[in-house]
Protein backbone atom coordinates (compact mmCIF):
# COMPACT_ATOMS: atom_id res chain seq x y z
CA UNK A 1 0.00 0.00 0.00
CA UNK A 2 1.26 3.48 -0.83
CA UNK A 3 0.09 6.87 0.38
CA UNK A 4 1.37 8.46 -2.90
CA UNK A 5 1.76 11.75 -1.01
CA UNK A 6 1.54 15.21 -2.52
CA UNK A 7 4.79 17.07 -1.82
CA UNK A 8 4.96 20.80 -1.17
CA UNK A 9 8.42 22.41 -1.25
CA UNK A 10 8.50 25.72 0.62
CA UNK A 11 11.14 28.25 1.71
CA UNK A 12 9.14 29.05 4.87
CA UNK A 13 6.11 27.75 6.73
CA UNK A 14 3.03 29.69 7.74
CA UNK A 15 1.68 29.47 11.29
CA UNK A 16 -0.73 26.61 10.51
CA UNK A 17 1.92 24.59 8.70
CA UNK A 18 4.41 25.13 11.55
CA UNK A 19 1.82 23.97 14.09
CA UNK A 20 1.11 20.85 12.02
CA UNK A 21 4.83 20.01 11.77
CA UNK A 22 5.27 20.48 15.54
CA UNK A 23 2.29 18.20 16.23
CA UNK A 24 3.68 15.59 13.84
CA UNK A 25 7.08 15.71 15.55
CA UNK A 26 5.47 15.28 18.98
CA UNK A 27 3.45 12.27 17.77
CA UNK A 28 6.64 10.71 16.41
CA UNK A 29 8.51 11.40 19.65
CA UNK A 30 5.77 9.66 21.63
CA UNK A 31 5.89 6.65 19.31
CA UNK A 32 9.68 6.39 19.07
CA UNK A 33 10.94 7.75 22.41
CA UNK A 34 13.26 10.23 20.66
CA UNK A 35 12.67 13.64 19.11
CA UNK A 36 12.99 13.66 15.29
CA UNK A 37 13.91 17.36 15.11
CA UNK A 38 16.81 19.24 16.68
CA UNK A 39 16.84 22.80 18.03
CA UNK A 40 17.92 24.41 14.75
CA UNK A 41 15.13 22.67 12.85
CA UNK A 42 12.55 23.75 15.41
CA UNK A 43 13.77 27.34 15.14
CA UNK A 44 13.44 27.21 11.35
CA UNK A 45 9.97 25.64 11.56
CA UNK A 46 8.67 28.39 13.84
CA UNK A 47 10.18 31.42 12.12
CA UNK A 48 7.86 34.21 11.01
CA UNK A 49 6.69 33.79 7.43
CA UNK A 50 8.75 36.77 6.25
CA UNK A 51 11.93 35.68 8.05
CA UNK A 52 14.51 32.96 7.77
CA UNK A 53 17.61 32.18 5.71
CA UNK A 54 17.48 31.27 2.02
CA UNK A 55 19.51 28.14 2.81
CA UNK A 56 16.50 26.33 4.35
CA UNK A 57 13.93 24.20 2.52
CA UNK A 58 10.79 22.65 4.02
CA UNK A 59 9.05 19.71 2.34
CA UNK A 60 5.53 18.74 3.42
CA UNK A 61 4.13 15.33 2.45
CA UNK A 62 0.34 15.50 2.34
CA UNK A 63 -1.95 12.48 2.13
CA UNK A 64 -5.68 13.14 1.72
CA UNK A 65 -5.10 16.63 3.11
CA UNK A 66 -3.31 15.33 6.20
CA UNK A 67 0.37 15.98 7.01
CA UNK A 68 1.89 12.52 6.65
CA UNK A 69 5.55 13.52 6.71
CA UNK A 70 7.99 16.39 6.82
CA UNK A 71 11.56 17.00 5.72
CA UNK A 72 13.85 19.90 6.59
CA UNK A 73 16.99 20.67 4.61
CA UNK A 74 19.66 23.28 5.26
CA UNK A 75 22.50 23.99 2.84
CA UNK A 76 26.01 24.00 4.29
CA UNK A 77 28.92 26.20 3.22
CA UNK A 78 30.17 23.35 1.01
CA UNK A 79 26.79 23.08 -0.71
CA UNK A 80 25.83 19.75 0.85
CA UNK A 81 22.29 19.54 2.19
CA UNK A 82 21.89 18.42 5.82
CA UNK A 83 18.40 17.06 6.38
CA UNK A 84 15.98 15.72 8.97
CA UNK A 85 12.80 13.87 8.13
CA UNK A 86 9.89 12.48 10.08
CA UNK A 87 6.90 10.38 9.04
CA UNK A 88 3.65 10.29 11.01
CA UNK A 89 3.36 6.98 12.90
CA UNK A 90 0.12 6.02 11.13
CA UNK A 91 1.58 6.73 7.67
CA UNK A 92 4.76 4.68 7.96
CA UNK A 93 5.65 1.91 5.50
CA UNK A 94 3.36 3.52 2.92
CA UNK A 95 6.06 5.17 0.82
CA UNK A 96 6.04 8.58 2.52
CA UNK A 97 9.64 8.38 3.75
CA UNK A 98 10.86 7.19 0.35
CA UNK A 99 9.05 10.04 -1.41
CA UNK A 100 10.61 12.60 0.97
CA UNK A 101 14.13 11.20 0.58
CA UNK A 102 13.84 11.08 -3.21
CA UNK A 103 12.72 14.71 -3.25
CA UNK A 104 15.60 15.65 -0.94
CA UNK A 105 17.99 13.97 -3.39
CA UNK A 106 16.52 16.06 -6.21
CA UNK A 107 16.96 19.23 -4.12
CA UNK A 108 20.53 18.30 -3.18
CA UNK A 109 22.00 17.39 -6.56
CA UNK A 110 25.75 17.66 -6.10
CA UNK A 111 27.79 17.59 -3.86
CA UNK A 112 25.28 15.47 -1.98
CA UNK A 113 22.83 14.91 0.85
CA UNK A 114 23.20 14.00 4.52
CA UNK A 115 20.18 12.83 6.51
CA UNK A 116 19.87 12.34 10.27
CA UNK A 117 18.14 9.18 11.50
CA UNK A 118 17.17 9.85 15.10
CA UNK A 119 17.17 6.73 17.22
CA UNK A 120 19.51 4.98 14.75
CA UNK A 121 17.05 2.50 13.22
CA UNK A 122 14.27 5.02 12.57
CA UNK A 123 15.35 5.41 8.95
CA UNK A 124 18.43 3.21 8.73
CA UNK A 125 16.96 0.56 6.43
CA UNK A 126 15.42 3.11 4.11
CA UNK A 127 18.60 5.15 3.85
CA UNK A 128 21.41 2.63 3.85
CA UNK A 129 19.90 -0.44 2.20
CA UNK A 130 17.44 0.84 -0.36
CA UNK A 131 18.71 4.21 -1.50
CA UNK A 132 22.48 3.89 -1.37
CA UNK A 133 23.36 5.96 1.70
CA UNK A 134 26.39 5.26 3.88
CA UNK A 135 26.78 5.87 7.61
CA UNK A 136 29.13 8.79 8.31
CA UNK A 137 28.48 10.08 11.84
CA UNK A 138 27.18 8.81 15.19
CA UNK A 139 25.76 11.14 17.83
CA UNK A 140 25.27 9.70 21.31
CA UNK A 141 22.63 10.86 23.74
CA UNK A 142 23.92 10.23 27.27
CA UNK A 143 21.98 10.60 30.52
CA UNK A 144 22.56 10.54 34.26
CA UNK A 145 20.32 10.79 37.31
CA UNK A 146 20.74 13.98 39.30
CA UNK A 147 20.21 12.25 42.64
CA UNK A 148 23.59 10.54 42.22
CA UNK A 149 26.49 12.16 44.11
CA UNK A 150 28.13 15.16 42.42
CA UNK A 151 31.59 16.21 43.59
CA UNK A 152 32.24 19.96 44.05
CA UNK A 153 33.66 21.85 41.08
CA UNK A 154 37.30 22.89 41.41
CA UNK A 155 38.71 25.81 39.39
CA UNK A 156 42.21 27.29 39.08
CA UNK A 157 42.78 30.23 41.41
CA UNK A 158 42.95 32.71 38.51
CA UNK A 159 39.62 31.61 37.00
CA UNK A 160 36.22 32.68 38.28
CA UNK A 161 32.76 31.66 37.12
CA UNK A 162 29.81 33.94 36.53
CA UNK A 163 26.58 33.76 34.58
CA UNK A 164 25.93 35.13 31.11
CA UNK A 165 24.83 38.76 30.81
CA UNK A 166 22.55 39.55 27.87
CA UNK A 167 23.81 42.55 25.90
CA UNK A 168 27.36 42.15 27.19
CA UNK A 169 28.69 38.65 26.55
CA UNK A 170 27.44 37.74 23.07
CA UNK A 171 30.63 38.55 21.15
CA UNK A 172 32.92 36.95 23.75
CA UNK A 173 30.85 33.78 23.79
CA UNK A 174 30.77 33.49 19.98
CA UNK A 175 34.57 33.86 19.96
CA UNK A 176 35.30 31.18 22.57
CA UNK A 177 32.66 28.87 21.11
CA UNK A 178 34.25 29.13 17.65
CA UNK A 179 37.67 28.35 19.16
CA UNK A 180 36.40 25.45 21.25
CA UNK A 181 34.41 23.89 18.41
CA UNK A 182 36.58 24.82 15.43
CA UNK A 183 36.31 21.27 14.05
CA UNK A 184 32.60 20.82 14.80
CA UNK A 185 30.35 20.99 11.70
CA UNK A 186 27.49 22.85 13.44
CA UNK A 187 28.37 24.25 16.86
CA UNK A 188 31.52 26.03 15.76
CA UNK A 189 29.64 27.95 13.05
CA UNK A 190 27.26 29.72 15.44
CA UNK A 191 27.02 33.50 15.01
CA UNK A 192 25.76 36.28 17.26
CA UNK A 193 22.48 36.14 15.33
CA UNK A 194 22.21 32.40 16.07
CA UNK A 195 22.85 33.12 19.73
CA UNK A 196 20.24 35.89 19.84
CA UNK A 197 17.68 33.54 18.30
CA UNK A 198 18.19 31.15 21.19
CA UNK A 199 18.19 33.94 23.76
CA UNK A 200 14.70 34.82 22.47
CA UNK A 201 13.45 31.25 23.04
CA UNK A 202 11.18 30.63 26.08
CA UNK A 203 13.60 28.06 27.50
CA UNK A 204 16.63 30.40 27.63
CA UNK A 205 17.80 31.22 31.15
CA UNK A 206 20.96 33.31 31.62
CA UNK A 207 21.22 32.00 35.19
CA UNK A 208 21.90 28.57 33.71
CA UNK A 209 24.57 29.83 31.30
CA UNK A 210 27.97 29.74 33.05
CA UNK A 211 31.14 31.48 31.85
CA UNK A 212 34.66 30.73 33.07
CA UNK A 213 36.66 33.97 33.04
CA UNK A 214 40.44 34.41 33.39
CA UNK A 215 41.27 38.05 33.94
CA UNK A 216 38.78 39.66 31.56
CA UNK A 217 38.81 36.85 28.98
CA UNK A 218 36.07 34.24 28.67
CA UNK A 219 37.93 30.92 28.39
CA UNK A 220 35.12 28.41 28.82
CA UNK A 221 31.39 27.97 29.27
CA UNK A 222 28.59 25.60 30.19
CA UNK A 223 25.22 26.42 28.70
CA UNK A 224 22.40 24.43 30.29
CA UNK A 225 18.83 23.95 29.15
CA UNK A 226 15.61 22.68 30.70
CA UNK A 227 13.16 20.72 28.57
CA UNK A 228 9.60 21.09 29.84
CA UNK A 229 7.38 18.07 30.36
CA UNK A 230 5.65 16.76 27.24
CA UNK A 231 3.49 13.70 26.53
CA UNK A 232 6.60 11.99 25.18
CA UNK A 233 8.70 13.11 28.21
CA UNK A 234 6.36 13.34 31.24
CA UNK A 235 8.96 14.92 33.55
CA UNK A 236 11.07 18.02 32.86
CA UNK A 237 14.65 17.11 32.07
CA UNK A 238 17.86 19.13 32.10
CA UNK A 239 20.43 19.24 29.35
CA UNK A 240 24.13 19.91 29.15
CA UNK A 241 23.40 22.02 26.07
CA UNK A 242 27.01 22.94 25.30
CA UNK A 243 30.32 22.84 27.17
CA UNK A 244 33.35 24.45 25.57
CA UNK A 245 36.87 25.45 26.62
CA UNK A 246 39.27 27.69 24.72
CA UNK A 247 42.37 25.91 23.37
CA UNK A 248 44.41 28.42 25.42
CA UNK A 249 42.85 27.04 28.62
CA UNK A 250 42.99 23.30 27.91
CA UNK A 251 44.50 21.03 30.55
CA UNK A 252 43.17 23.03 33.50
CA UNK A 253 40.17 20.79 34.19
CA UNK A 254 37.71 23.50 33.14
CA UNK A 255 35.52 21.16 31.08
CA UNK A 256 34.86 18.88 34.03
CA UNK A 257 34.47 21.76 36.51
CA UNK A 258 32.03 23.63 34.27
CA UNK A 259 30.02 20.46 33.68
CA UNK A 260 29.74 19.93 37.44
CA UNK A 261 28.68 23.56 37.97
CA UNK A 262 25.86 23.08 35.49
CA UNK A 263 24.79 19.75 36.98
CA UNK A 264 24.55 21.29 40.44
CA UNK A 265 22.48 24.13 39.00
CA UNK A 266 20.06 21.72 37.29
CA UNK A 267 19.74 19.63 40.44
CA UNK A 268 19.02 22.80 42.40
CA UNK A 269 16.04 23.39 40.08
CA UNK A 270 14.53 20.13 41.32
CA UNK A 271 15.19 18.15 38.14
CA UNK A 272 15.76 14.43 38.41
CA UNK A 273 17.64 13.68 35.19
CA UNK A 274 19.97 15.34 32.69
CA UNK A 275 20.94 14.51 29.12
CA UNK A 276 23.64 15.57 26.69
CA UNK A 277 24.72 14.90 23.11
CA UNK A 278 28.26 14.01 22.09
CA UNK A 279 29.82 12.71 18.90
CA UNK A 280 30.57 9.01 19.12
CA UNK A 281 34.19 9.50 18.04
CA UNK A 282 34.90 12.14 20.72
CA UNK A 283 36.57 9.68 23.05
CA UNK A 284 38.01 12.34 25.37
CA UNK A 285 34.63 13.96 26.05
CA UNK A 286 32.89 10.60 26.45
CA UNK A 287 35.50 9.55 29.01
CA UNK A 288 34.85 12.73 31.04
CA UNK A 289 31.09 12.21 30.94
CA UNK A 290 31.34 8.54 31.89
CA UNK A 291 33.43 9.50 34.93
CA UNK A 292 30.57 11.86 35.84
CA UNK A 293 28.14 8.88 35.74
CA UNK A 294 26.63 9.54 32.31
CA UNK A 295 25.72 6.49 30.22
CA UNK A 296 24.62 6.20 26.61
CA UNK A 297 20.83 6.15 26.17
CA UNK A 298 20.15 6.54 22.43
CA UNK A 299 22.08 6.87 19.20
CA UNK A 300 21.41 9.20 16.25
CA UNK A 301 23.11 8.42 12.96
CA UNK A 302 23.87 10.62 9.96
CA UNK A 303 23.73 8.93 6.55
CA UNK A 304 25.29 10.39 3.40
CA UNK A 305 24.39 10.06 -0.26
CA UNK A 306 27.32 11.07 -2.48
Amino acid sequence: MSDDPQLKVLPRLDADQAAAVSALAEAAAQADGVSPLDDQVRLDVNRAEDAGPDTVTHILALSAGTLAGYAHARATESGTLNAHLVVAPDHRRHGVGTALVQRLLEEAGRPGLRVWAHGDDAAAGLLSDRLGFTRVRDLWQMRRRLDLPIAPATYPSNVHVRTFEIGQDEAAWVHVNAEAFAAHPEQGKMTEDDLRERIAEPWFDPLGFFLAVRGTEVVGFHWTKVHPATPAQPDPIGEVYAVGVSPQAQGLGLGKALTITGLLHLRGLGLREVLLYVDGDNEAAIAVYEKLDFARRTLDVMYEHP
Side-chain angles (χ1 to χ4, degrees):
M1 176 181 176
S2 173
D3 277 0
D4 192 21
Q6 174 193 3
L7 300 183
K8 284 189 174 182
V9 181
L10 303 167
R12 297 168 186 83
L13 301 178
D14 64 29
D16 290 340
Q17 292 164 339
V21 169
S22 296
L24 170 60
E26 178 59 28
Q30 289 188 60
D32 304 330
V34 60
S35 175
L37 307 179
D38 66 16
D39 271 352
Q40 185 59 63
V41 176
R42 285 188 285 270
L43 284 168
D44 290 338
V45 165
N46 292 301
R47 290 180 191 276
E49 292 178 53
D50 59 349
D54 295 333
T55 54
V56 171
T57 300
H58 305 272
I59 305 176
L60 306 179
L62 303 173
S63 177
T66 299
L67 185 62
Y70 166 73
H72 171 282
R74 176 179 276 263
T76 66
E77 292 179 356
S78 67
T80 300
L81 280 188
N82 284 351
H84 295 70
L85 66 88
V86 54
V87 177
D90 55 351
H91 286 271
R92 293 176 179 176
R93 299 177 181 85
H94 294 170
V96 175
T98 299
L100 285 168
V101 172
Q102 288 174 337
R103 186 52 190 259
L104 284 168
L105 287 168
E106 293 175 13
E107 293 290 323
R110 295 290 178 182
L113 172 68
R114 291 184 169 189
V115 181
W116 278 107
H118 293 273
D120 188 10
D121 61 354
L126 168 69
L127 296 172
S128 61
D129 298 336
R130 295 170 51 195
L131 295 174
F133 285 76
T134 56
R135 183 172 180 154
V136 295
R137 185 178 170 195
D138 289 357
L139 186 68
W140 291 18
Q141 185 197 105
M142 304 182 77
R143 295 197 184 194
R144 72 134 26 222
R145 297 198 335 257
L146 286 169
D147 60 353
L148 296 173
I150 303 175
T154 302
Y155 291 92
S157 59
N158 63 341
V159 173
H160 71 276
V161 177
R162 62 173 176 83
T163 54
F164 185 91
E165 294 189 26
I166 298 173
Q168 172 183 304
D169 292 322
E170 286 83 352
W173 179 82
V174 167
H175 176 73
V176 70
N177 178 73
E179 286 190 324
F181 290 97
H184 195 278
E186 295 100 20
Q187 183 70 26
K189 303 294 191 297
M190 286 188 68
T191 65
E192 287 191 45
D193 285 341
D194 294 326
L195 175 57
R196 291 189 189 99
E197 276 193 322
R198 286 155 178 79
I199 289 173
E201 287 291 289
W203 59 262
F204 180 80
D205 179 7
L207 297 181
F209 195 161
F210 300 95
L211 304 180
V213 181
R214 182 170 59 190
T216 60
E217 180 186 10
V218 176
V219 294
F221 64 90
H222 181 182
W223 186 352
T224 70
K225 178 179 180 179
V226 177
H227 297 265
T230 66
Q233 176 68 51
D235 294 317
I237 185 169
E239 180 178 350
V240 176
Y241 191 59
V243 175
V245 177
S246 166
Q248 288 73 41
Q250 294 288 346
L252 303 178
L254 292 183
K256 178 180 178 181
L258 283 161
T259 302
I260 290 172
T261 295
L263 294 180
L264 292 170
H265 167 75
L266 293 169
R267 184 166 70 179
L269 296 177
L271 301 173
R272 295 189 291 182
E273 193 173 24
V274 60
L275 64 84
L276 60 82
Y277 292 93
V278 60
D279 276 288
D281 61 357
N282 191 343
E283 296 179 0
I286 289 171
V288 170
Y289 294 137
E290 287 180 336
K291 289 178 182 178
L292 292 171
D293 297 314
F294 281 88
R296 196 177 88 176
R297 173 68 65 89
T298 63
L299 176 66
D300 295 342
V301 179
M302 177 179 272
Y303 292 90
E304 181 177 58
H305 194 282

